[in-house]
Amino acid sequence: MGLAPGTWSALLSGGGGSTGGGNGGDLLSQSQAASLISSAGITWSSSGNCSNRDSSSCTSFDGLRRASADGAVALKHAVGGCGLTITGGTETGHAAGTYSHANGYKLDFAMVGCLTNHITGNFAYSGVRGDGATLYTAPSGNVYANEGNHWDVTFTG
């Protein structure tokens, strides 16, 4: 799907209904985030085949922080031909907290070997989270938690 002239620059500048300040804190709408993500070659799936933020069976990007979308795009560029699939976004049903899915800081990525190899081969091991997830921290500060069946990624900047 191609973007209309000016759409890409509007998406990159956070225009078109975003809120919040600069520095990647802008909140994106479902369509803004989906456009950025799909333009980078990243796919997404949901068990309910939906994007409703209020349903835990959906995968929503509504309210995703600009820095999180940019981080997902940067990750895709870093892994090249490795296929990335987002399986969790801002929808209800995730753990609460400041740096949570609901607040737009986190995305879940399907577990694939090429992504795991990139994370474990390039990012610093940084311990084990309280729930037992092994943690890796990228030079950017983004934290990757191996939750067994997916990578839970906190985009911090």
Side-chain angles (χ1 to χ4, degrees):
M1 160 172 100
L3 297 175
T7 302
W8 185 249
S9 60
L11 289 170
L12 290 178
S13 68
S18 64
T19 59
N23 223 11
D26 293 342
L27 300 181
L28 301 174
S29 68
Q30 175 71 29
S31 62
Q32 287 174 313
S35 291
L36 282 169
I37 290 165
S38 74
S39 292
I42 302 168
T43 60
W44 62 90
S45 66
S46 74
S47 58
N49 295 314
C50 51
S51 62
N52 181 347
R53 186 179 173 134
D54 296 323
S55 173
S56 63
S57 66
C58 297
T59 298
S60 176
F61 302 133
D62 186 30
L64 186 68
R65 292 182 178 276
R66 172 64 189 276
S68 299
D70 289 346
V73 170
L75 178 61
K76 176 57 181 160
H77 289 165
V79 299
C82 180
L84 297 185
T85 302
I86 296 172
T87 60
T90 60
E91 67 280 347
T92 189
H94 297 280
T98 301
Y99 295 100
S100 65
H101 284 272
N103 289 335
Y105 286 98
K106 289 188 171 198
L107 290 170
D108 290 340
F109 290 86
M111 187 68 68
V112 291
C114 52
L115 177 59
T116 297
N117 291 340
H118 177 79
I119 293 167
T120 60
N122 293 288
F123 303 152
Y125 171 80
S126 50
V128 178
R129 199 168 61 187
D131 63 359
T134 305
L135 302 173
Y136 294 85
T137 302
S140 64
N142 297 338
V143 178
Y144 295 74
N146 182 338
E147 293 192 355
N149 63 350
H150 68 274
W151 284 98
D152 175 76
V153 182
T154 306
F155 294 98
T156 60

